[in-house]
Amino acid sequence: MGISRKKLLVAVLLQTALSGSNLYADVYRQNIDEGWKFRQARLDNWYDATVPGVVHTDLIDNGIIDDPFFRLNERAVQWVDKEDWIYETSINGEDKVLDSSNQYLVFKGLDTYADVYLNDSLLLKADNMFREWKVDIKGVLKKGDNKLKVYFHSPIKIDMPKWEKLPYQLESGNDQSENGGLLDRKVGIFARKAGYHYGWDWGPRLVTSGIWRSVYLEAWNDLRIENVQLIQNKVNSGSAKLSSVVEIISDDNVSGAVVTVKADGKLVSKETVNLVKGLNKVSLDYTIKNPKLWWTNGLGDPYLYDFTTTVTMNDGTQDSVNDRIGIRSLRVVTEKDEAGTTLYFELNGKPVFMKGANYIPSDNFLPRVTDEKYERTILDAKNVNMNMLRIWGGGIYENDIFYDLCDEHGILVWQDFMFACSLYPGDDEFIESVRQEAIYNVRRLRNHPCIALWCGNNENQDAWFGWGWKRRYEAMGNGYAEKLWNDLYNLYFKVLPEIVEEYGGGTGYRGSSPMSFPGMKSDGVNGDSHYWGVWHANDPISQYNTERSRFFSEYGFQSFPEYESVKIYAPEKRDHDIYSEVMMSHQRGGSFANGRIEEYMLKNFKKPKDFEHFLYVGMILQGDAIKTAMEAHRRDMPYCMGSLFWQHNDCWPVASWSSRDYYGRWKAQHYFAKNAYDMILVSPVVMNDKLTVHLVSDYFKTVSGNFSLKVMDMRGNVVYEKSMPLKTPVNGSELIFESEMSNVLGDKSKNDVIIYTEFETDGKAYTNIAYAAEQKDLNYEKANIIWSAKKADGGFDVTLKSDVFARGVFMSLSGIDNFFEDNYFDLLPGKEVKVHVSSDLSLAVFNEQLKVISLVDSYM
């Protein structure tokens, strides 16, 4: 964890008449976020700037460019990344800084090629977006006004010569160089910068520059705590054997310094040490009896201890650091079994099935992602029963608050290093930059209980062995293939794992995702898989039911955002066609992807009658597909022990594989995930005219309840029924019912029935519905849905009831300033359902605006 310093912003420098020593010499920090201005380097016009920020948002704020997310505006801003930019502000050199023996300027993030000047003295030449830059300014900072200037070089101009120098192109298929006016010159892989800024198959090409994280002055005397690492040596419910490794920087040799560690205010370790001038590492070993363990969402309390590490000298506090840390044991288990090699996560001695999604950055303009948006993003994972997010390797190592929130809410993080779907340079300068980036981020994040795994890259190994890259470079000759494989192997199987081993405190590492073993493509039998047969290969959705892997770390299916979201970025009626210029621009999979949505839809659903209903049916299509996959993976426990769909979120408004659109609106898929990822799942499925039902549980003990199955027609008439008491399996899956469909249909056709299942325990019903035919072949009747609304806390409670079975009931209001607790749900005949809606509308306006439709309404 990056050290969380809950300190005074002003140093308290107290001198005593008796000793003349500092009783309390804390670190003084002065944020530099005021008075910034910027200009295009070759022009003279200055404009106000926001720091943290990026050039694009400053240009938007000053009315120089329009919102690139609106309609086709992205095309008009491709000039921005070809220019150099200058940012300036003035710093007041205060006595309390100038009188300190240590004075530093700290940039938490510079994007990307930046020269930093203080009073025209060149302090720093930065070249990596992913790391902190810290520079000694003692003797450069002066009393009064000081000019701080940051000169950002165009990443295109810096990296183009690197591309031109190579005798071959490095694979980087998602770099939208053509959209940027660069033809085939894919230069993004040369910069240690977020790969998705150059475009991806769900994102625009918006190559940013700027001071994207905070910048501040830091000053201190005598000594300071540089870092605290908590190593969890051996943890169980009876005791936690821990070590705190405290890094202390001292101005001088010091005798008799006292280092203490407290957990929740209770002293757990104290040691008197002698310090030498410079960096000191002090290790304190201790045991906490009967610790409160940290658990993932659904399994228990993600308890966080408040650890306080303090250094005192001459009975006065010199520095103190607070960390919130969860105590847990966590192993990545890869062991041989009768089928191959496992991949699962063992938390506090228990195998845990991972339920979650892949996460990409929440905006192309990263400083726009507020703390509130981070909180909403993590809560949206927690509230649909996820316990893991995978931070994908083409984005960023996330802000501290992301990991803090995952700690608090019991969400594990699979953390990729920032490499994805590309080949990268292997020269010494590039590797050294990566080394420093990796050391910084592993050290920053290592104390977080949420960090479950470091992974070298996304799909680079599979691309080499399975996508034809190896063959293409072999065909070029000149030893290119051998060189590139050696570069790949060196980075992902030597450099990065060595850093995780040295600095990671025991966190597991895998060289690539997906991966079985180094030197081969993934196989599903060993390690994790990215399954794209459904979607990319046009496999039927039912293929999810039979595709197997030890761990699915990617799979997905596309949809558009809902209509109210589309109207924000494509408001004109002429835009409202999936093949319109605007809708195609907001679909980075191209005509293939929009055509694929339509193709799958017409295979599975009746043709929607207009654009708005096409978007709605697309939601149901996506939701059904991914629900099929999630349930199949869980039914296959313990062979399969993880299901992370692609993807949790979007970075701009777009048609994509996300379950939540850019504005945070839940798609049907996200609503469906809530039941599919619940702690108990009852999962009926019809394959080859055979009905099976599995009962799945993530609990570590049996749960007693009652199972019931009803096959009913569209008016609710039951044609087959079975009920029995059952106990759930322990942390596993069990087949509880099977039958030929002919035995449960009575005199009905499979097109005329639904299969309703329920497991009820302690007053909670876990329900699910299966279908024996494709949605387009089911004989749904026009539903008369009666609803009423009444005021409730923060909005309204809506009660709905239908005379016949209503598939995919969708409620909507104008705009997106609202949230539906449930949506796209199925409504049984005669059964009331109550849904809470968050809204600021009056009851009269709410009643006027609320629209309720079901699937039949999309084509009738």
Side-chain angles (χ1 to χ4, degrees):
M1 178 186 292
I3 297 173
S4 174
R5 298 179 175 275
K6 301 172 183 176
K7 300 180 172 189
L8 297 172
L9 292 179
V10 181
V12 183
L13 304 176
L14 299 177
Q15 299 289 327
T16 68
L18 293 175
S19 66
S21 65
N22 291 338
L23 284 178
Y24 186 65
D26 206 346
V27 176
Y28 171 76
R29 177 176 292 182
Q30 177 185 337
N31 288 327
I32 305 173
D33 56 7
E34 300 280 333
W36 285 94
K37 58 183 180 178
F38 82 111
R39 66 176 172 89
Q40 209 167 325
R42 62 185 177 87
L43 300 178
D44 297 326
N45 295 31
W46 287 96
Y47 299 93
D48 291 339
T50 300
V51 171
V54 293
V55 170
H56 289 77
T57 50
D58 286 329
L59 291 171
I60 294 169
D61 291 344
N62 284 278
I64 299 169
I65 64 172
D66 293 323
D67 178 6
F69 291 1
F70 184 75
R71 299 195 76 247
L72 302 173
N73 288 349
E74 177 205 355
R75 299 177 180 179
V77 300
Q78 294 304 312
W79 61 273
V80 175
D81 60 50
K82 319 301 188 299
E83 297 287 339
D84 295 353
W85 300 91
I86 298 174
Y87 279 70
E88 284 187 5
T89 193
S90 179
I91 306 173
N92 182 30
E94 302 176 15
D95 288 342
K96 55 193 166 188
V97 175
L98 295 170
D99 292 343
S100 297
S101 57
N102 299 275
Q103 305 165 24
Y104 289 93
L105 179 63
V106 182
F107 288 92
K108 300 301 287 188
L110 289 168
D111 177 13
T112 291
Y113 296 112
D115 301 338
V116 178
Y117 298 85
L118 184 61
N119 297 326
D120 297 323
S121 294
L122 178 63
L123 299 179
L124 169 67
K125 292 182 75 70
D127 64 355
N128 191 315
M129 176 184 178
F130 300 128
R131 55 172 291 197
E132 174 186 277
W133 297 93
K134 187 173 183 177
V135 61
D136 190 344
I137 57 171
K138 190 171 184 180
V140 182
L141 186 72
K142 63 182 183 181
K143 188 176 179 64
D145 285 343
N146 294 259
K147 184 172 77 172
L148 177 60
K149 180 174 79 171
V150 185
Y151 188 108
F152 288 99
H153 296 272
S154 159
I156 307 305
K157 292 194 294 188
I158 290 291
D159 289 328
M160 189 66 76
K162 302 173 188 175
W163 183 91
E164 293 169 342
K165 182 180 179 181
L166 285 179
Y168 48 77
Q169 289 191 30
L170 292 171
E171 288 283 355
S172 185
N174 284 293
D175 186 324
Q176 298 169 13
S177 56
E178 296 85 355
N179 291 348
L182 304 180
L183 301 179
D184 65 344
R185 299 174 177 87
K186 300 184 183 300
V187 300
I189 42 83
F190 295 100
R192 290 313 296 149
K193 174 174 172 57
Y196 83 107
H197 284 169
Y198 295 85
W200 219 265
D201 56 3
W202 36 256
R205 184 188 184 278
L206 294 165
V207 184
T208 57
S209 293
I211 306 170
W212 75 286
R213 281 178 173 160
S214 60
V215 53
Y216 52 85
L217 286 178
E218 193 172 76
W220 50 276
N221 290 308
D222 299 332
L223 62 82
R224 66 162 296 179
I225 298 174
E226 177 70 10
N227 187 269
V228 177
Q229 179 186 12
L230 184 82
I231 300 175
Q232 307 200 32
N233 299 302
K234 186 176 182 180
V235 172
N236 54 49
S237 59
S239 67
K241 294 183 178 180
L242 310 174
S243 298
S244 288
V245 181
V246 187
E247 296 182 7
I248 304 168
I249 299 177
S250 179
D251 282 350
D252 296 297
N253 296 337
V254 174
S255 298
V258 178
V259 183
T260 60
V261 178
K262 292 182 179 180
D264 284 354
K266 181 180 178 181
L267 182 67
V268 293
S269 188
K270 179 178 181 180
E271 189 166 336
T272 301
V273 298
N274 297 326
L275 305 175
V276 299
K277 184 177 181 179
L279 179 64
N280 300 261
K281 283 191 177 182
V282 179
S283 183
L284 295 86
D285 300 327
Y286 50 94
T287 299
I288 295 179
K289 297 289 188 183
N290 303 313
K292 299 177 182 177
L293 298 180
W294 185 91
W295 288 98
T296 49
N297 182 30
L299 289 178
D301 182 16
Y303 187 83
L304 296 174
Y305 282 84
D306 287 317
F307 278 83
T308 304
T309 307
T310 304
V311 181
T312 59
M313 190 171 62
N314 299 328
D315 296 325
T317 298
Q318 291 294 306
D319 203 0
S320 184
V321 170
N322 284 4
D323 290 296
R324 298 186 72 210
I325 297 174
I327 295 177
R328 86 290 186 270
S329 68
L330 184 63
R331 285 202 309 142
V332 183
V333 182
T334 53
E335 296 176 344
K336 281 285 186 183
D337 63 12
E338 64 279 0
T341 307
T342 65
L343 174 60
Y344 66 89
F345 292 84
E346 182 188 87
L347 177 65
N348 299 324
K350 303 287 188 180
V352 178
F353 189 98
M354 292 296 109
K355 303 173 293 189
N358 288 259
Y359 172 90
I360 67 171
S362 290
D363 204 299
N364 269 83
F365 307 131
L366 290 161
R368 295 205 303 202
V369 187
T370 62
D371 289 356
E372 291 74 20
K373 187 167 186 177
Y374 274 118
E375 184 173 33
R376 180 178 179 184
T377 299
I378 301 305
L379 286 175
D380 281 355
K382 176 184 180 180
N383 290 337
V384 297
N385 300 305
M386 293 186 191
N387 59 13
M388 176 173 273
L389 291 172
R390 173 177 175 244
I391 296 185
W392 164 81
I396 61 169
Y397 308 93
E398 268 297 342
N399 290 349
D400 289 341
I401 188 174
F402 181 97
Y403 305 97
D404 291 340
L405 288 165
C406 288
D407 291 344
E408 291 172 13
H409 296 293
I411 307 294
L412 285 171
V413 173
W414 171 312
Q415 178 69 60
D416 282 1
F417 284 100
M418 292 301 112
F419 302 94
C421 303
S422 303
L423 293 174
Y424 295 84
D427 59 274
D428 291 344
E429 182 179 359
F430 184 88
I431 295 298
E432 181 56 28
S433 181
V434 170
R435 188 189 307 277
Q436 296 305 317
E437 159 196 325
I439 291 171
Y440 168 69
N441 284 288
V442 172
R443 281 168 54 88
R444 177 171 72 97
L445 301 177
R446 61 191 175 187
N447 284 352
H448 284 281
C450 68
I451 296 293
L453 175 73
W454 285 94
C455 182
N457 66 75
N458 174 78
E459 297 186 340
N460 293 354
Q461 179 163 303
D462 250 25
W464 182 258
F465 289 105
W467 298 1
W469 290 6
K470 180 175 182 285
R471 292 193 302 273
R472 285 201 287 275
Y473 287 106
E474 284 175 338
M476 294 180 190
N478 297 314
Y480 295 156
E482 182 180 7
K483 179 195 181 303
L484 291 170
W485 168 249
N486 287 339
D487 288 347
L488 188 153
Y489 190 88
N490 177 58
L491 179 56
Y492 305 126
F493 296 99
K494 292 183 179 178
V495 174
L496 293 177
E498 287 172 2
I499 290 168
V500 174
E501 175 70 23
E502 181 175 356
Y503 298 100
T507 303
Y509 176 85
R510 288 179 65 77
S512 186
S513 177
M515 191 184 79
S516 295
F517 305 106
M520 62 177 285
K521 68 177 182 179
S522 60
D523 60 13
V525 177
N526 306 281
D528 65 317
S529 299
H530 293 187
Y531 174 63
W532 288 103
V534 177
W535 184 257
H536 283 303
N538 205 20
D539 290 350
I541 290 170
S542 60
Q543 187 67 28
Y544 281 132
N545 285 318
T546 56
E547 190 70 23
R548 302 186 78 195
S549 175
R550 313 313 295 265
F551 195 108
F552 286 94
S553 47
E554 268 195 34
Y555 60 93
F557 198 97
Q558 271 206 13
S559 75
F560 295 91
E562 67 172 64
Y563 187 58
E564 290 299 320
S565 291
V566 169
K567 288 194 297 184
I568 297 173
Y569 67 90
E572 300 183 16
K573 281 294 182 183
R574 59 179 172 146
D575 299 336
H576 295 172
D577 182 297
I578 67 167
Y579 297 110
S580 73
E581 190 78 8
V582 170
M583 294 302 289
M584 289 300 299
S585 180
H586 289 257
Q587 164 59 278
R588 288 311 157 99
S591 57
F592 163 85
N594 280 359
R596 185 53 49 89
I597 293 174
E598 188 172 42
E599 183 180 5
Y600 269 107
M601 186 181 294
L602 296 180
K603 285 180 182 177
N604 293 276
F605 291 83
K606 290 184 170 68
K607 185 177 181 179
K609 59 189 177 184
D610 57 26
F611 176 75
E612 183 175 353
H613 288 92
F614 186 100
L615 301 185
Y616 156 70
V617 177
M619 295 281 191
I620 303 292
L621 169 66
Q622 180 196 35
D624 280 357
I626 301 306
K627 175 180 181 288
T628 301
M630 290 185 281
E631 292 192 20
H633 302 163
R634 295 190 68 192
R635 288 196 303 269
D636 206 19
M637 291 175 69
Y639 180 89
C640 178
M641 285 299 288
S643 183
L644 309 179
F645 63 71
W646 185 271
Q647 67 212 65
H648 185 54
N649 59 318
D650 281 323
C651 64
W652 78 313
V654 66
S656 81
W657 298 268
S658 69
S659 64
R660 303 160 57 257
D661 69 26
Y662 170 72
Y663 307 105
R665 303 288 290 178
W666 289 20
K667 299 180 180 180
Q669 175 182 323
H670 207 73
Y671 286 104
F672 291 3
K674 188 172 186 178
N675 289 332
Y677 278 162
D678 210 340
M679 293 297 292
I680 294 175
L681 168 70
V682 55
S683 180
V685 63
V686 178
M687 288 191 293
N688 302 319
D689 287 326
K690 186 176 185 178
L691 170 64
T692 60
V693 184
H694 283 75
L695 190 59
V696 184
S697 175
D698 291 330
Y699 288 114
F700 301 138
K701 61 181 181 180
T702 60
V703 177
S704 297
N706 191 72
F707 165 74
S708 61
L709 179 149
K710 293 180 181 178
V711 181
M712 65 179 73
D713 67 17
M714 301 304 171
R715 293 181 175 270
N717 299 308
V718 177
V719 299
Y720 178 87
E721 185 171 10
K722 185 175 182 64
S723 179
M724 55 183 170
L726 279 179
K727 291 183 177 181
T728 63
V730 176
N731 194 24
S733 170
E734 183 179 313
L735 176 67
I736 59 172
F737 179 87
E738 60 181 332
S739 171
E740 297 296 326
M741 278 301 301
S742 58
N743 295 330
V744 300
L745 283 174
D747 61 353
K748 298 291 183 180
S749 161
K750 61 184 180 181
N751 299 336
D752 293 320
V753 300
I754 63 168
I755 302 152
Y756 175 81
T757 57
E758 177 178 292
F759 180 77
E760 191 274 332
T761 178
D762 289 333
K764 179 174 179 177
Y766 299 87
T767 66
N768 208 345
I769 295 175
Y771 308 93
E774 298 292 354
Q775 293 294 302
K776 68 178 181 180
D777 297 325
L778 288 165
N779 295 320
Y780 293 134
E781 299 183 33
K782 182 78 171 178
N784 178 28
I785 302 174
I786 300 171
W787 61 268
S788 62
K790 66 177 183 178
K791 286 289 279 184
D793 186 30
F796 305 90
D797 285 338
V798 180
T799 302
L800 305 97
K801 189 176 182 180
S802 176
D803 58 338
V804 298
F805 178 72
R807 177 79 224 274
V809 175
F810 174 57
M811 299 187 290
S812 63
L813 296 166
S814 298
I816 63 169
D817 188 21
N818 51 72
F819 176 74
F820 293 81
E821 177 187 45
D822 197 7
N823 222 342
Y824 304 96
F825 53 86
D826 297 339
L827 198 54
L828 295 178
K831 183 176 180 180
E832 285 191 349
V833 170
K834 185 165 71 173
V835 178
H836 182 71
V837 184
S838 300
S839 172
D840 292 331
L841 297 175
S842 68
L843 179 59
V845 174
F846 181 87
N847 284 330
E848 181 182 344
Q849 283 194 11
L850 184 67
K851 293 194 297 185
V852 181
I853 63 170
S854 69
L855 187 60
V856 173
D857 299 310
S858 70
Y859 55 83
M860 287 185 63

